[in-house]
Amino acid sequence: MRKIIAILFLSIIIGLKAGAQININPGVDTTDLTIKSAIKFYTDYMGEFKGKKLPDFKKYWSEEDCKSYKIPDLSIYGVGGDYPIYAMAPIKTITYVKPLPNDMVMLKSIGGWIDTLKILNVMYLSNHLIKKDKNQQLHFVKPTTFYKKDWQHKDLRNIHYTFPKKHIFNKKIADSLIAQVEKLEKDWELKPIQIEYVFAPTYDEIQQIRGFDFTLGLGNREKPSGLSNQTDNIVYGAGNGENYFHEIVHIYLNPIHPKSPLNEGLAVFYGGSMGQNLSWHIKRVKAYLKNHPEINLNKPQEFYFMDNYTNPLSTIQGLLCNLVYKKDGIKGLKRLMTYTNVNEVYEKEFGLDLKNLNKGLRALIDSQ
C-alpha cells in the first residue's frame, strides 16, 4: 500500500502543475437531457475537490446519508490515506452514462495522469450512481445501497457486519474478533466504538461496493487486505472473513495518538498484515535482508516494498512495538505511542546510533 501511495503523491504533484481536466468519451450521448444533467452534476462535484478540501456534501448527497455519515461518499479515500483520490487524478474522462429505472443514472469515469512520456496512467475506474428525488433534485446514491439486495447484515456487540448474500456467517470467527476487541478496550481503557464492518472474499468486491470497478493496486494474486475509515468508523476487509482485527485497531487507537509514526506498526503488532501474523512477516524480512546486503536501513522509510505479501517498513515498526511490549507490556506500548518522531524511538527506546542505523536495525531484526 505504501508503494501505491508513493505513486499517488507523484500524481498529485503532476496534477497540481497540469490542472484538473474532465473529458467526455466519444459515444456518450450528450444530447440526452437526463445524461446531460448527470454529467453536469458529476462535473460540479469533481470541481469541488481541491487538495484535501472536501465538497459540501449537502449539495450532492441525500439528507439521510448526510445524517448517517460525516463523509457519505465512501469512495473518496479510494486506496487509504487522507488525500481524496479524486484530487489525485488531474485527468478525468467520463466513459459511460446510462439511464436506469426509478430515475437513476449510472456514470462511469476514468481518473489518472499523463506521465512524461505522454502515456495515460489509470488510477481508478469509478462507478457513480445518481438519482433524481421527488423534488427533481439530483443526489448520489451509495453503491452499498444499490447492491443492498445482494448483501446481508448482522449485529454482534458493537460490530455491524455487512457481507455478500452467498456467504455463510461464521460466528466462531466473529466471536474471536469480539474477544480481541474487548481485550483491546480493557488494556487501553477505552469504551466500545460502533463499527460498520464490511467484508467480502476479494478486494475487487470491496472496491465495487465503494464505487470502483478498478483502483490502483487491484489485480495480482489474491491476498487478505483491508482499509479503515476512521471518520465514520468503517472497516473494509477482504479475504479474512469476520475477523480483520488489524483495521479495528486503527479505528480504536489511531485517534488517540494521531501524530505517532508507529500507528501502522501497532496495527501489525496486534492484527498482523495481509492475513499473516507479525512473526511470519519478521521471518520474511529477516531472510530478505540477509539476501540483500545492499539495502541501507539508515533510511528505513525508503524500505517500504519487497514483494506483494510483506510490507517491510510496517513489519519493522511492528517489531519495535513487540519488543517494547515484551519488556514493559501495555504501559510500554502507551509510552511508545507518545513519540512523534521515529528517530527518538530508535534512540531512546533501543539505544540505536542514528548515524549507523543500518547496522543497529539489522542486528535488532536478526535477533528475532
Side-chain angles (χ1 to χ4, degrees):
M1 188 62 73
R2 290 185 65 89
K3 183 181 182 183
I4 293 170
I5 291 173
I7 293 171
L8 294 183
F9 272 102
L10 171 62
S11 71
I12 292 171
I13 294 170
I14 294 170
L16 291 174
K17 291 180 180 178
Q21 179 181 337
I22 297 181
N23 307 301
I24 301 175
N25 211 57
V28 175
D29 183 6
T30 56
T31 65
D32 185 300
L33 293 180
T34 298
I35 291 175
K36 190 174 182 177
S37 62
I39 289 173
K40 183 179 185 307
F41 183 74
Y42 165 86
T43 302
D44 289 346
Y45 183 62
M46 289 298 150
E48 293 204 24
F49 285 95
K50 295 179 176 63
K52 287 189 176 183
K53 179 180 177 293
L54 298 179
D56 178 359
F57 294 115
K58 292 180 180 178
K59 292 163 54 178
Y60 301 97
W61 293 82
S62 70
E63 183 179 351
E64 180 183 355
D65 283 336
C66 289
K67 284 182 179 179
S68 300
Y69 298 92
K70 295 176 183 177
I71 300 179
D73 188 344
L74 305 181
S75 68
I76 283 179
Y77 302 110
V79 291
D82 61 354
Y83 211 101
I85 192 170
Y86 298 120
M88 293 179 178
I91 306 297
K92 300 178 180 68
T93 299
I94 297 170
T95 59
Y96 174 109
V97 189
K98 186 180 185 68
L100 302 175
N102 301 317
D103 290 321
M104 187 102 65
V105 172
M106 180 177 288
L107 184 152
K108 296 176 182 281
S109 65
I110 294 175
W113 74 97
I114 304 292
D115 64 20
T116 55
L117 298 176
K118 297 185 179 181
I119 296 172
L120 173 64
N121 292 266
V122 177
M123 187 181 301
Y124 64 79
L125 304 177
S126 67
N127 190 345
H128 289 85
L129 294 158
I130 302 168
K131 182 175 177 60
K132 184 182 291 185
D133 64 22
K134 60 184 180 181
N135 297 318
Q136 303 301 299
Q137 298 297 311
L138 297 179
H139 63 79
F140 287 110
V141 175
K142 298 196 310 300
T144 47
T145 302
F146 185 73
Y147 296 113
K148 190 174 182 179
K149 61 181 179 298
D150 295 323
W151 290 68
Q152 302 181 66
H153 302 272
K154 189 173 184 64
D155 291 300
L156 197 63
R157 193 176 181 261
N158 61 314
I159 309 295
H160 176 74
Y161 284 102
T162 300
F163 51 97
K165 187 176 182 179
K166 61 187 176 184
H167 179 82
I168 299 174
F169 190 80
N170 192 320
K171 190 172 183 300
K172 184 177 180 180
I173 295 177
D175 285 341
S176 70
L177 174 67
I178 296 300
Q180 290 173 291
V181 170
E182 289 176 335
K183 187 176 187 308
L184 190 74
E185 291 171 352
K186 181 180 179 181
D187 287 345
W188 288 80
E189 301 176 272
L190 300 171
K191 294 181 179 180
I193 296 173
Q194 294 300 314
I195 294 174
E196 183 177 349
Y197 185 115
V198 184
F199 73 92
T202 67
Y203 193 54
D204 296 61
E205 292 169 274
I206 290 297
Q207 291 298 67
Q208 181 190 48
I209 65 164
R210 296 181 69 216
F212 294 105
D213 293 330
F214 166 81
T215 55
L216 201 63
L218 279 182
N220 305 312
R221 292 187 183 277
E222 283 292 343
K223 62 181 184 298
S225 57
L227 288 169
S228 59
N229 174 341
Q230 291 139 48
T231 302
D232 285 305
N233 298 330
I234 306 172
V235 163
Y236 301 98
N240 227 41
E242 292 81 356
N243 188 345
Y244 208 106
F245 188 49
H246 175 113
E247 300 300 342
I248 298 285
V249 172
H250 281 311
I251 298 289
Y252 271 93
L253 300 186
N254 278 29
I256 299 175
H257 300 109
K259 295 183 179 180
S260 170
L262 298 176
N263 278 319
E264 182 63 20
L266 188 62
V268 174
F269 162 74
Y270 272 113
S273 177
M274 292 182 263
Q276 301 292 343
N277 61 28
L278 174 60
S279 177
W280 186 87
H281 289 290
I282 290 174
K283 289 177 182 177
R284 298 192 80 238
V285 170
K286 182 177 178 179
Y288 190 88
L289 287 173
K290 284 184 177 180
N291 291 326
H292 293 273
E294 75 280 3
I295 292 175
N296 184 4
L297 293 185
N298 282 329
K299 296 181 179 180
Q301 69 277 8
E302 295 181 2
F303 182 38
Y304 57 80
F305 184 82
M306 60 182 235
D307 61 24
N308 202 37
Y309 303 98
T310 291
N311 182 315
L313 182 57
S314 63
T315 298
I316 292 171
Q317 293 177 357
L319 170 62
L320 300 179
C321 293
N322 189 45
L323 291 172
V324 168
Y325 179 77
K326 285 181 177 179
K327 180 183 176 183
D328 295 322
I330 292 296
K331 181 180 178 181
L333 281 182
K334 290 181 178 180
R335 180 184 70 245
L336 186 65
M337 297 307 291
T338 63
Y339 291 99
T340 58
N341 186 312
V342 73
N343 285 340
E344 290 184 5
V345 174
Y346 294 138
E347 288 184 309
K348 296 180 180 180
E349 292 290 334
F350 299 96
L352 300 181
D353 179 6
L354 295 180
K355 293 181 180 179
N356 200 4
L357 196 56
N358 182 53
K359 180 180 179 180
L361 271 180
R362 281 178 174 271
L364 209 60
I365 295 165
D366 282 342
S367 68
Q368 302 306 301

